[in-house]
Amino acid sequence: METMSSSISSSPFDQNLGLLDSIGEEGIDEIIQSWKGFCSSTASLLNGNGDLSVGSEFVAHVHSLCKYGLDSLAKDHFLCALEETFERNGSSNFWQHFDAYSHVSARELENNQIQVAGIEQVLCKSLEEISLEKHYQEKCLLMLAHALQSHQESVLEGRPDSNVERVYLFSKYQLMVSSVLMTTLPRHFPEILHWYFKEKLEELSKIMSGDSEDSDECQDRDEMDLDEKSKLLRRSGEMEIDACYQSKKFSENNKLVKNIGKVVSDLRSLGFTSMTEDAYASAIFLLLKAKVHDLAGDDYRNSVLESIKEWIHDVPLQFLNALLSYLGDLVAYDRPSSGLKSPFASHPTAHSPGIDTSSQGIIRWKLRLEYFAYETLQDLRIAKLFEIIVDYPDSSPAIEDLKQCLEYTGQHSKLVDSFISALRYRLLTAGASTNDILHQYVSTIKALRTIDPAGVFLEAVGEPIRDYLRRRKDTIKCIVTLLTDGSGGNTNGSGNPGDSLLEELNRDEENQENIGPDDDRNIDDKQAWSNTESWEPDPVEADPQKGSRNGRKVDILGMIVGIIGSKDQLVNEYRVMLAEKLLNRTDYDIDAEIRTLELLKIHFGESSMQKCEIMLNDLIDSKRTNTNIKATMKMSQTGTEQVETAVSLDILDATIISTNFWPPIQEEALIVPGEVDELLSDYAKRYSEIKTPRKLLWKKNLGMVKLELEFEDRAVQFTVSPVHAAIIMQFQDQNSWTAKNLAAAVGLSVDALSRRMNFWISKGIIAETQKPDSHELTFSLVDGMVDSGKSGIGGGHCEELLLGEEDGDRSVASVEDQLRKEMTVYEKFILGMLTNFGSMALERIHNTLKMFCVADPAYDKSLQQLQSFLSGLVSEEKLELRDGMYLLKNNLNEK
Amino acid sequence: MFFDRYYRWHAVASWTWDAQDETCGICRMAFDGCCPDCKLPGDDCPLIWGACNHSFHLHCILKWVNSQTPQAHCPMCRREWQFKA
Ligand SMILES: [Zn+2]
Ligand SMILES: [Zn+2]
Ligand SMILES: [Zn+2]
């Protein structure tokens, strides 16, 4: 038998059976007695409400059972009893506390502060209760462990590993506790945790932000609370709150962190480690998000990134540091039972003091929080980028923040996508003026080059704007105005008021030159300028680093010229606008234009600007010649007989132009008043005397006349074209004219006269009447006080200015007119092409023209010029544009 | 209504050389423009007449005369070149 038993003693069960075989009746009786005793003492221990008086009896029974090798049976029974008791006294009671909240939705929690306060109380109370219960059970379990251990010590001579039994039992127990709670977990419990932490963090955040006056008071009160609690805990066993390190700032809020720490450690010891961590993490992120929104707001004039980082350091990180330090000891104690990994569980050294104990856990938290803050701020700024750019440069702090965020997150593509759609929705619409679009374009370039010095993302963002602007007819004109005119349009607040963009760019460049050490840059720039014509954007995919390494910087002017396609077109448009401006002058003051020309020469090269230079030179020469002629004529006048003509040469000035270098001039026959005509002849005569063999050819319809009309009670000054002046001066001797007679007197057609007459009618100077029996129009002077509310004539003295363009009177042919004239040659060719091919895309028409029109005259227009000519043909209904293809208009009707 | 005698008329004129031809027979550029060596037309790049009554840019005929030694002829009529007195 003995040999048999020893040979089959491989399992405890077999061993037990073997033992049972070897014992007699007496032994069995003892076993039954011990078992009964063990069961009843277990029951009274566990249900004894802290009564440990059955302890010695219990230990004796355990020893007795051990003697017969029934220790595992005893352990199993004890654990079963624990589970039953825990279910009954622990978990069900615990969950009952939260029943009241089972129907409360997250939304209701958010809106009802009182209930949240209730939650805190309920949570703390129920945690305390269940923890006490658990502690008591653990003490009982410890008793069993000690009993088992003391038996082993008596049997075996040597010291067995005293902890093995205990560790085994406690891990079993911990597992049981967690699984009981988890299987009975109500659905709303994680939410309750979340709101608890949210509430506590907000409280902390408030304290940190400074309103800590009443916190001292409640701190004292809570300190007492805490003392009582810890006494209670000390009495009940091992759970002792060590004086843990608190950060300087949080040390005064000790109690709050400790309370939270206590809740966290209680929850952990119940096995809710990861659920708890999720809850406070989500509360921290929620609070951080709110804080970022709160700090950032709609104020773009201050940087907020630093204060956000400060806040992260001051509130959540301090809190986490304090919490982790607080938990440090508990973690170490809890370790055998916590199989779940948490960032701090792996750090038994967390209890070493010092805020700068940058444990990996804290560093990880810091990175997570900062990344989240960067991303949140970045999304916020990107969503408002349009407004931010409108506000540029005042908003540059916001741009700088965004730059840092993007450097961290690398989500530039988010910016590109979001901004392009904002542009499409808000800017690139029929309602926006070309000027506004251009200003926003320039501001965009200026703002984004901070974020993206190489201009790679800027290319992607700028493309839709450029595309859209190319389809607008007044784009070139607006660009030229933007570049060269400091007086108007520049309402965006960028740069000094009164500065043209060109001036501003030049100043920026000079400033950079003063800073930048590399001398090569100048040459680069010139190279860049000469390349403007063939300028092409970089591919979007290009590496931004690469660009900046090459020293390429965002070239604002290049990006503006890029809208038009070539600098020649821009220069041409400028020349026309300059001509218009110069011919509508009543003086020779061209200082501003000279300055602008100098800037244009720097950027577009001297040869491009030569014609403009000659135009300005004409004005300088004219001034000199004008003075000269008048001086010599006065001399001859005083020398001989006093001329009896009523008007002296004083009233006449002239601008003498070198026609070949000016854009085509619009000439119109005009009969000027006799006295003026005489002066013109005298002037021309004198000119040819001085400048022989050169002579003057008057362009009588061009120029400007300043005149004053005097009525009985008022005088009104006008600055008008010679045509308007010639018309009104006819009324000097005759109050009323038929249209036909007046037209003949000033040398205009009746239509042309009527068109000009509208100006005088609108000013209330002339009235138009039509005799009922005939169709004849009559114009009469409106005399006396007619205050018809028409614009311009108030009482007293005022000046009216009529600019040529107002009613279609221009001194110079517009670029479009010139282009149409030049392109007409190709019209037949284009129509013929389309007849043959049906429909063609713009580029194909362009290439075909380039290929076939090589002489008489060679086709030398740009794609944009062709496009603008074709859109003219479309509006004349000769062509139609469908899906980017041009086709003949009548072609459709025939089919 | 009375017209104040005071008004100012700012007129516009173009100048032109009082010459028979429009372009210079040497450089083929317009007289009202300037010769290839000049940037500014008018006083800075004057015309000059020969005894034969043909006119050229001063700069053009000077270059021509200097290149034709010992005796220069008018590029247009081949007569001996003499500046008009
Ligand atoms: Zn010449
Ligand atoms: Zn010259
Ligand atoms: Zn000759």
Side-chain angles (χ1 to χ4, degrees):
Chain A
M1 271 298 198
E2 282 200 45
T3 50
M4 210 180 126
S5 72
S6 61
S7 66
I8 54 164
S9 62
S10 49
S11 77
F13 181 70
D14 294 336
Q15 201 177 16
N16 288 347
L17 278 181
L19 270 167
L20 278 173
D21 281 348
S22 67
I23 52 177
E25 290 285 318
E26 240 173 88
I28 288 170
D29 275 350
E30 195 190 338
I31 288 171
I32 289 169
Q33 285 306 313
S34 300
W35 181 253
K36 274 184 184 161
F38 171 73
C39 288
S40 67
S41 60
T42 294
S44 53
L45 245 187
L46 296 185
N47 300 321
N49 293 326
D51 177 19
L52 301 178
S53 56
V54 289
S56 51
E57 195 190 323
F58 173 76
V59 172
H61 290 308
V62 172
H63 282 168
S64 166
L65 287 170
C66 284
K67 202 170 70 190
Y68 293 103
L70 294 173
D71 48 341
S72 56
L73 208 62
K75 281 187 267 181
D76 287 349
H77 175 79
F78 193 81
L79 284 170
C80 274
L82 273 178
E83 182 170 353
E84 233 170 73
T85 318
F86 187 76
E87 269 172 11
R88 198 173 54 247
N89 295 343
S91 70
S92 67
N93 284 349
F94 183 68
W95 295 132
Q96 256 169 32
H97 288 291
F98 303 101
D99 280 354
Y101 302 100
S102 59
H103 301 296
V104 181
S105 69
R107 220 236 213 104
E108 280 173 305
L109 275 171
E110 192 163 11
N111 295 334
N112 200 331
Q113 296 294 312
I114 300 152
Q115 262 187 331
V116 173
I119 284 176
E120 187 195 340
Q121 279 183 345
V122 168
L123 184 66
C124 292
K125 190 166 164 266
S126 48
L127 277 173
E128 200 177 301
E129 233 178 72
I130 197 169
S131 296
L132 279 173
E133 175 66 27
K134 187 170 172 252
H135 269 287
Y136 180 74
Q137 293 198 340
E138 281 169 343
K139 231 180 286 171
C140 298
L141 190 62
L142 203 61
M143 208 180 274
L144 175 68
H146 284 318
L148 293 168
Q149 195 185 332
S150 56
H151 168 74
Q152 276 192 317
E153 277 165 14
S154 66
V155 173
L156 302 166
E157 293 282 307
R159 276 271 163 122
D161 186 356
S162 59
N163 272 330
V164 171
E165 203 70 74
R166 207 184 73 188
V167 168
Y168 168 78
L169 283 173
F170 273 81
S171 77
K172 276 288 233 193
Y173 176 69
Q174 192 62 42
L175 201 65
M176 180 276 284
V177 166
S178 306
S179 60
V180 166
L181 283 170
M182 282 300 179
T183 48
T184 52
L185 178 85
R187 236 173 7 141
H188 61 288
F189 188 65
E191 231 149 61
I192 287 171
L193 289 185
H194 173 82
W195 287 107
Y196 166 76
F197 285 115
K198 180 176 167 278
E199 200 56 22
K200 292 284 110 182
L201 273 160
E202 273 166 13
E203 210 175 300
L204 270 176
S205 175
K206 251 178 234 157
I207 292 165
M208 293 312 294
S209 67
D211 33 86
S212 53
E213 277 163 40
D214 49 6
S215 74
D216 284 340
E217 196 193 332
C218 63
Q219 189 192 333
D220 291 339
R221 198 194 61 221
D222 277 87
E223 209 90 74
M224 244 160 55
D225 265 18
L226 192 74
D227 283 349
E228 267 163 59
K229 273 178 201 157
S230 38
K231 267 181 225 150
L232 195 75
L233 286 168
R234 269 187 212 110
R235 212 186 311 125
S236 70
E238 306 109 33
M239 193 175 283
E240 217 174 277
I241 298 166
D242 282 347
C244 63
Y245 179 79
Q246 300 292 336
S247 74
K248 276 171 209 140
K249 271 187 165 172
F250 267 126
S251 59
E252 55 180 320
N253 307 309
N254 225 336
K255 57 98 198 170
L256 196 51
V257 176
K258 275 188 178 174
N259 283 358
I260 299 169
K262 166 113 170 53
V263 167
V264 171
S265 69
D266 283 353
L267 284 165
R268 279 194 190 175
S269 86
L270 296 176
F272 291 126
T273 307
S274 68
M275 190 190 293
T276 306
E277 212 183 300
D278 285 352
Y280 67 72
S282 75
I284 287 173
F285 283 115
L286 206 72
L287 190 65
L288 175 56
K289 189 175 182 179
K291 195 69 197 174
V292 171
H293 279 249
D294 184 42
L295 283 172
D298 283 340
D299 174 20
Y300 312 129
R301 304 184 180 205
N302 292 300
S303 171
V304 292
L305 208 49
E306 276 317 304
S307 22
I308 290 173
K309 278 198 236 170
E310 247 168 55
W311 186 84
I312 290 176
H313 183 262
D314 286 350
V315 182
L317 282 184
Q318 295 249 27
F319 162 74
L320 286 164
N321 199 67
L323 182 68
L324 300 196
S325 308
Y326 172 84
L327 293 170
D329 302 33
L330 303 174
V331 168
Y333 167 77
D334 243 2
R335 265 176 104 203
S337 59
S338 81
L340 290 159
K341 281 244 163 146
S342 76
F344 12 81
S346 55
H347 284 272
T349 55
H351 56 81
S352 64
I355 178 75
D356 293 321
T357 311
S358 300
S359 68
Q360 275 184 29
I362 283 292
I363 289 173
R364 235 177 357 240
W365 267 106
K366 182 172 182 287
L367 293 176
R368 271 174 76 187
L369 290 172
E370 281 184 357
Y371 187 90
F372 182 81
Y374 279 122
E375 204 178 20
T376 307
L377 181 64
Q378 161 212 297
D379 289 352
L380 221 97
R381 291 309 190 213
I382 283 178
K384 293 280 183 186
L385 190 56
F386 191 85
E387 283 88 345
I388 293 173
I389 284 177
V390 168
D391 210 16
Y392 194 84
D394 290 340
S395 61
S396 36
I399 291 285
E400 197 56 45
D401 278 357
L402 179 56
K403 180 193 177 182
Q404 287 194 40
C405 292
L406 288 170
E407 274 167 10
Y408 207 81
T409 64
Q411 297 173 348
H412 292 80
S413 62
K414 236 187 197 175
L415 176 147
V416 172
D417 295 345
S418 152
F419 190 58
I420 286 179
S421 75
L423 284 175
R424 291 229 157 87
Y425 184 68
R426 304 196 44 190
L427 185 67
L428 307 180
T429 62
S433 78
T434 305
N435 260 329
D436 289 346
I437 299 174
L438 271 172
H439 277 293
Q440 183 75 355
Y441 179 64
V442 173
S443 294
T444 303
I445 298 171
K446 287 183 194 161
L448 290 192
R449 70 179 164 172
T450 314
I451 294 173
D452 169 27
V456 176
F457 306 108
L458 195 52
E459 273 316 319
V461 166
E463 192 51 36
I465 308 182
R466 286 193 293 274
D467 249 8
Y468 186 83
L469 283 172
R470 282 184 198 122
R471 284 183 265 145
R472 287 217 174 177
K473 282 200 160 177
D474 58 342
T475 296
I476 300 186
K477 209 166 286 172
C478 289
I479 288 174
V480 172
T481 309
L482 174 78
L483 283 175
T484 61
D485 192 354
S487 58
N490 194 0
T491 52
N492 237 17
S494 52
N496 299 341
D499 257 12
S500 66
L501 181 59
L502 217 47
E503 192 81 59
E504 191 193 320
L505 293 179
N506 197 61
R507 203 182 39 236
D508 287 356
E509 223 157 89
E510 274 169 6
N511 289 345
Q512 282 181 4
E513 254 158 52
N514 291 342
I515 301 159
D518 55 330
D519 297 327
D520 297 351
R521 222 181 49 81
N522 269 332
I523 300 152
D524 283 354
D525 271 6
K526 276 190 189 128
Q527 188 61 42
W529 284 116
S530 66
N531 288 343
T532 348
E533 204 163 350
S534 57
W535 179 84
E536 268 190 46
D538 277 354
V540 182
E541 296 79 14
D543 177 10
Q545 290 303 314
K546 211 174 71 192
S548 57
R549 196 155 296 165
N550 285 347
R552 199 200 110 173
K553 59 192 172 60
V554 171
D555 160 20
I556 296 186
L557 192 59
M559 293 198 70
I560 292 170
V561 174
I563 300 171
I564 306 174
S566 87
K567 65 168 184 178
D568 287 351
Q569 267 177 280
L570 195 139
V571 169
N572 206 19
E573 187 67 46
Y574 174 70
R575 193 163 70 100
V576 168
M577 287 170 75
L578 178 66
E580 193 69 44
K581 203 187 268 179
L582 294 178
L583 294 181
N584 289 325
R585 277 283 160 80
T586 54
D587 56 33
Y588 303 97
D589 179 17
I590 51 165
D591 290 352
E593 282 75 18
I594 289 175
R595 171 70 186 154
T596 303
L597 182 71
E598 287 309 312
L599 294 174
L600 287 168
K601 271 156 71 172
I602 295 172
H603 293 307
F604 296 117
E606 249 178 79
S607 61
S608 300
M609 302 313 299
Q610 221 210 312
K611 287 178 175 173
C612 293
E613 185 154 25
I614 291 171
M615 285 159 64
L616 289 183
N617 205 58
D618 280 349
L619 268 278
I620 296 167
D621 272 355
S622 298
K623 186 182 182 182
R624 201 184 304 131
T625 308
N626 191 57
T627 315
N628 203 355
I629 286 177
K630 285 162 111 175
T632 57
M633 280 180 88
K634 248 188 204 143
M635 260 165 56
S636 67
Q637 272 176 359
T638 47
T640 58
E641 87 291 19
Q642 188 64 36
V643 196
E644 58 182 77
T645 42
V647 285
S648 80
L649 203 60
D650 285 341
I651 67 150
L652 179 65
D653 295 301
T655 296
I656 302 157
I657 65 171
S658 309
T659 339
N660 283 29
F661 302 90
W662 287 63
I665 300 291
Q666 307 261 338
E667 286 196 72
E668 188 182 22
L670 175 71
I671 299 171
V672 297
E675 55 189 29
V676 177
D677 208 38
E678 263 173 53
L679 285 175
L680 293 177
S681 315
D682 290 350
Y683 196 103
K685 211 171 108 197
R686 190 73 198 125
Y687 179 88
S688 51
E689 282 165 23
I690 295 173
K691 294 281 190 180
T692 191
R694 285 158 73 181
K695 59 179 182 185
L696 283 190
L697 303 170
W698 290 110
K699 313 215 176 271
K700 291 181 183 170
N701 63 314
L702 300 185
M704 271 296 173
V705 181
K706 258 189 192 168
L707 47 80
E708 190 171 274
L709 303 183
E710 264 179 43
F711 298 86
E712 278 159 16
D713 53 343
R714 63 213 153 104
V716 192
Q717 273 195 2
F718 289 97
T719 303
V720 294
S721 74
V723 183
H724 287 95
I727 292 168
I728 200 66
M729 284 169 86
Q730 291 294 337
F731 287 85
Q732 200 169 2
D733 306 315
Q734 190 180 325
N735 278 352
S736 185
W737 286 85
T738 64
K740 211 169 109 188
N741 289 346
L742 185 56
V746 294
L748 297 172
S749 69
V750 174
D751 278 353
L753 172 73
S754 299
R755 192 153 51 82
R756 268 48 172 262
M757 206 47 126
N758 285 336
F759 172 74
W760 294 117
I761 293 169
S762 76
K763 298 297 171 199
I765 307 289
I766 295 290
E768 183 185 43
T769 49
Q770 196 161 18
K771 281 180 191 158
D773 49 335
S774 77
H775 289 294
E776 199 165 43
L777 270 177
T778 305
F779 298 112
S780 325
L781 208 53
V782 177
D783 216 338
M785 188 61 205
V786 184
D787 197 10
S788 58
K790 301 228 166 152
S791 61
I793 306 183
H797 218 77
C798 65
E799 191 171 329
E800 283 288 324
L801 189 72
L802 171 68
L803 287 175
E805 265 178 273
E806 203 167 286
D807 54 358
D809 267 357
R810 293 175 53 106
S811 314
V812 186
S814 71
V815 171
E816 298 94 79
D817 290 345
Q818 292 173 45
L819 177 70
R820 197 167 309 130
K821 228 180 195 171
E822 289 168 21
M823 287 290 293
T824 314
V825 191
Y826 309 110
E827 186 180 326
K828 245 192 181 156
F829 197 88
I830 293 167
L831 295 181
M833 252 192 307
L834 291 174
T835 313
N836 283 330
F837 293 111
S839 65
M840 291 169 86
L842 176 69
E843 243 165 81
R844 193 162 159 224
I845 300 176
H846 183 64
N847 292 334
T848 314
L849 284 170
K850 268 204 293 200
M851 204 181 299
F852 293 105
C853 300
V854 285
D856 286 336
Y859 175 76
D860 58 352
K861 302 293 176 262
S862 73
L863 202 65
Q864 279 80 12
Q865 285 175 318
L866 175 66
Q867 188 176 27
S868 121
F869 176 69
L870 291 178
S871 67
L873 292 180
V874 169
S875 60
E876 285 170 41
E877 304 220 309
K878 287 178 178 162
L879 297 184
E880 195 174 337
L881 178 62
R882 269 203 281 154
D883 304 327
M885 303 290 276
Y886 291 92
L887 52 151
L888 294 178
K889 179 83 178 171
N890 53 359
N891 215 13
L892 260 174
N893 299 341
E894 280 167 17
K895 275 177 186 171
Chain B
M1 182 194 80
F2 308 93
F3 257 113
D4 192 355
R5 282 282 161 215
Y6 170 81
Y7 59 86
R8 287 197 81 98
W9 196 288
H10 195 107
V12 174
S14 66
W15 62 264
T16 181
W17 290 104
D18 204 357
Q20 284 168 310
D21 303 311
E22 289 205 338
T23 52
C24 168
I26 298 172
C27 69
R28 299 282 159 196
M29 303 296 272
F31 281 143
D32 293 345
C34 50
C35 81
D37 295 337
C38 285
K39 281 190 171 170
L40 297 174
D43 290 341
D44 290 350
C45 186
L47 297 201
I48 195 82
W49 275 259
C52 60
N53 238 2
H54 283 119
S55 51
F56 304 96
H57 288 122
L58 171 67
H59 304 131
C60 293
I61 195 70
L62 284 179
K63 268 203 281 186
W64 172 262
V65 168
N66 288 338
S67 68
Q68 306 274 308
T69 45
Q71 179 56 57
H73 296 268
C74 171
M76 306 301 284
C77 62
R78 294 282 151 197
R79 265 184 263 175
E80 220 170 74
W81 177 260
Q82 297 266 297
F83 288 103
K84 194 175 187 176

